[in-house]
Amino acid sequence: MTMNGWRRRAVALALALACVSVAGLAMGQGALAADAPYPVTVSNCGEPLRIDKPPRRLVVHDLNMTEMALALGLRPVLVGVTGITGWYKQTGEALLRKLDGVPELAPKYPTLETLVAARPDLFFAGWYYGMQPGGEVTPATLARHGIQTLVLTESCAQNRADKPHATMDLLYGDVLRLGQVFGRSAQARQLVDGWRARVSAAARPALAGRPGVFVYDSGEDKPFTAGRAAMPTALIDAAGGRNVLDDLPMSWGNAAWEAVARRNPQFIILLDYQNGQGPDHLERVLREHPAMRLTDAVRNGRFIVLRYAELTPGPANIDAIEKIARALRSAR
């Protein structure tokens, strides 16, 4: 090649690199490459939500939904989180490291003023996961300020007269929706396929009789627990057991101790809070209760300790299923 040829090639290469550099700067923080054309429309508590372009500023409420966003690689567009440190949840150092530099806008529920000041395109939250019916922060109030809301599907049951039986599609579907909204459908499908494979492996071999499991979140006069529409029902089913309260037409709520004791759970899931009301305290309550102490689970000490993020829809659900399945099989 002649010297002039080398010069022409060098100039062409420099121009190409410059174009790549400019494109990279244009993407920068707050932009992601999309794998599908826009607009896209996803179901949002049964209503269509149209997204005209990939959101560039995302605020997420709660541990479980934050972990979904991080699993999909949405850290570059994450401009704030809420509800991470204000409750007594096991947050974990790994998550806090991933969120380094992302401000927590509110330790518990955000105000409308707080969210508007953060200027998000999208708020990913749920009913009783950052929003309350008739409250200050709702999809309708945020829409007046140009903020769209992606609603956690499990939470939609709170506002429905019928309470559908929870399945793993609550997690899989929300991750696929989130992927579609941000133009990361291929990555979302890859995540879900991997989770399905792990759940399938955890469920083998099949258990005979589907052991009964009770979810004990908190409460002494009445237990706060999971009914048929809450995520733990899906986790227990996937692990080969059955939520003893899956006939109760509710999501999360209170039940009667007598109703739980009559169903005689073989295992009890204890929620691991950090407020002195954690699994040790919950176990003492059960052992001192005149009816619950006679159940198979309490008499045999069959307790399964899980974190908040493992029991609410999110990537940690897969670890939870594996833990529950191991416990159920260990007692055969």
Side-chain angles (χ1 to χ4, degrees):
M1 182 179 291
T2 66
M3 183 62 67
N4 286 337
W6 278 110
R7 287 191 183 119
R8 285 195 297 272
R9 184 174 180 180
V11 169
L13 178 60
L15 287 172
L17 290 173
C19 289
V20 170
S21 177
V22 170
L25 289 172
M27 290 289 293
Q29 285 291 105
L32 295 168
D35 63 6
Y38 285 79
V40 299
T41 300
V42 297
S43 179
N44 206 34
C45 278
E47 299 292 330
L49 176 66
R50 176 180 162 129
I51 306 292
D52 289 323
K53 59 185 178 180
R56 296 173 63 91
R57 297 180 62 83
L58 171 67
V59 172
V60 181
H61 183 83
D62 221 331
L63 295 174
N64 53 317
M65 284 171 277
T66 299
E67 291 184 352
M68 278 194 215
L70 293 174
L72 271 177
L74 301 183
R75 174 63 178 79
V77 297
L78 194 58
V79 297
V81 293
T82 62
I84 301 294
T85 64
W87 309 104
Y88 305 112
K89 305 167 187 174
Q90 293 281 6
T91 306
E93 291 300 320
L95 177 64
L96 294 178
R97 284 195 299 271
K98 291 177 183 177
L99 290 176
D100 185 35
V102 177
E104 184 175 33
L105 306 176
K108 293 185 178 180
Y109 276 29
T111 65
L112 180 62
E113 181 182 13
T114 296
L115 289 175
V116 171
R119 298 181 295 107
D121 304 317
L122 185 72
F123 183 43
F124 184 28
W127 297 111
Y128 303 100
Y129 292 86
M131 305 186 296
Q132 292 183 337
E136 179 187 18
V137 174
T138 67
T141 61
L142 290 172
R144 297 180 197 131
H145 298 274
I147 302 169
Q148 293 184 293
T149 305
L150 188 67
V151 183
L152 186 74
T153 301
E154 185 218 32
S155 75
C156 300
Q158 297 280 7
N159 299 332
R160 290 178 55 171
D162 64 319
K163 304 295 183 190
H165 191 102
T167 72
M168 289 306 297
D169 284 338
L170 292 174
L171 169 63
Y172 303 152
D174 274 0
V175 170
L176 293 172
R177 280 196 312 151
L178 199 60
Q180 190 176 359
V181 165
F182 282 93
R184 299 178 76 80
S185 292
Q187 185 171 344
R189 286 192 296 271
Q190 186 176 14
L191 272 175
V192 169
D193 288 345
W195 291 340
R196 288 185 189 275
R198 286 177 61 187
V199 170
S200 178
R204 295 193 299 262
L207 289 170
R210 297 182 65 207
V213 183
F214 168 58
V215 179
Y216 186 18
D217 176 293
S218 56
E220 297 184 25
D221 293 337
K222 291 182 177 181
F224 188 74
T225 185
R228 75 179 180 211
M231 195 69 202
T233 294
L235 308 182
I236 295 166
D237 285 348
R242 183 182 64 82
N243 181 359
V244 295
L245 297 179
D246 67 1
D247 60 329
L248 292 189
M250 69 177 190
S251 182
W252 291 91
N254 292 310
W257 283 121
E258 294 73 18
V260 179
R262 281 197 302 270
R263 289 162 169 80
N264 189 27
Q266 280 78 61
F267 294 84
I268 296 178
I269 291 173
L270 305 177
L271 192 63
D272 191 2
Y273 281 126
Q274 294 179 309
N275 62 344
Q277 303 290 308
D280 292 340
H281 172 78
L282 297 178
E283 184 176 335
R284 283 196 298 273
V285 171
L286 292 165
R287 291 191 181 281
E288 293 171 3
H289 192 277
M292 289 301 299
R293 69 186 183 190
L294 301 177
T295 62
D296 287 350
V298 177
R299 286 190 302 105
N300 294 307
R302 292 175 179 167
F303 301 110
I304 306 168
V305 177
L306 295 177
R307 297 178 294 111
Y308 173 87
E310 291 176 312
L311 287 171
T312 51
N317 291 162
I318 311 306
D319 290 337
I321 291 169
E322 292 171 340
K323 291 177 185 178
I324 297 168
R326 283 195 298 269
L328 299 188
R329 282 160 179 73
S330 70
R332 286 196 301 177

